[in-house]
Amino acid sequence: MQDSISDTLVDSFAGPLTEALADPGAGSNVMAFLLVAGLGLGMALIYVPLRLFLTMTERSRRLKLLQRIRRLREELAQPLQS
């Protein structure tokens, strides 16, 4: 009885990832996947905040430019005072 429980525990811990890492031929596929997934996650962690920052600064620059254009138009619409 005790042997069957320990065998069941060993079998449950020996999943596909453990088998793939133990076998170098099959493990390369798993390691390649983990490497690509890790690089993708790292790129996403860098890209998303950078994209948000650039978008916010672009909108602020655009708003300042539009406000400056509006002020210049208002100044041109006023008659010259001499």
Side-chain angles (χ1 to χ4, degrees), residues 15-73:
L17 183 60
T18 307
E19 292 173 7
L21 291 175
D23 180 20
S28 62
N29 293 334
V30 173
M31 293 306 287
F33 170 77
L34 291 176
L35 179 67
V36 170
L39 287 174
L41 181 63
M43 288 173 60
L45 288 175
I46 292 171
Y47 175 79
V48 171
L50 182 65
R51 184 73 255 166
L52 288 173
F53 171 74
L54 291 175
T55 300
M56 290 178 356
T57 56
E58 177 188 2
R59 287 183 182 178
S60 116
R61 282 186 305 230
R62 187 180 299 156
L63 177 63
K64 288 178 185 176
L65 182 62
L66 288 173
Q67 288 172 343
R68 184 174 176 204
I69 291 170
R70 187 175 296 133
R71 271 186 272 132
L72 289 173
R73 282 184 179 169

Side-chain angles (χ1 to χ4, degrees), residues 2 6 12 14 18 20 58 69 80:
Q2 193 71 340
S6 64
S12 66
T18 307
E58 177 188 2
I69 291 170
L80 290 177

